[in-house]
Amino acid sequence: MRRTDNFGFTRSELRKLRALKTPAGIQKFLDDLSYNLSYTARSPKRVLHDRTASCLEGGIFGAAALRVIGFPPLIFDLEAEQDTDHVVAIFKVRGHW
């Protein structure tokens, strides 16, 4: 079965995202990026092109990348009182988050 939904990405962008293959591959990609300290909200496309991401941008990118490889795009926002918030993309494998 050929997938026709591009989720708003170009063919080249989809190839890069699909090459990440697993949640661990997505995490490694994010770990290798420089951290964006600006108060921005780059799209997953911009993160892919700029190779930088804040926590929010990384969480959104992670959810988008998970969607491309077949997981539901879910984001979990951890609000902090004396720290910055943390945003993570979550997924379930064999009944475990």
Side-chain angles (χ1 to χ4, degrees), residues 15-49:
R15 274 193 302 278
K16 291 175 186 176
L17 291 170
R18 288 185 180 130
L20 302 176
K21 296 183 182 173
T22 65
I26 295 167
Q27 184 63 57
K28 181 176 180 343
F29 174 84
L30 289 168
D31 289 344
D32 291 344
L33 297 181
S34 61
Y35 190 80
N36 175 25
L37 292 170
S38 302
Y39 291 105
T40 58
R42 283 184 175 85
S43 70
K45 290 170 73 82
R46 289 285 7 134
V47 168
L48 195 58
H49 292 278

Side-chain angles (χ1 to χ4, degrees), residues 3-7 10-22 65 68-69:
R3 182 175 226 167
T4 58
D5 192 351
N6 64 9
F7 304 110
T10 65
R11 285 183 182 182
S12 174
E13 292 164 344
L14 283 172
R15 274 193 302 278
K16 291 175 186 176
L17 291 170
R18 288 185 180 130
L20 302 176
K21 296 183 182 173
T22 65
V68 167
I69 65 170

Side-chain angles (χ1 to χ4, degrees), residues 64-84:
L66 284 168
R67 183 178 189 192
V68 167
I69 65 170
F71 291 87
L74 302 171
I75 296 176
F76 190 68
D77 180 18
L78 300 163
E79 292 185 17
E81 290 189 19
Q82 295 183 3
D83 193 5
T84 56

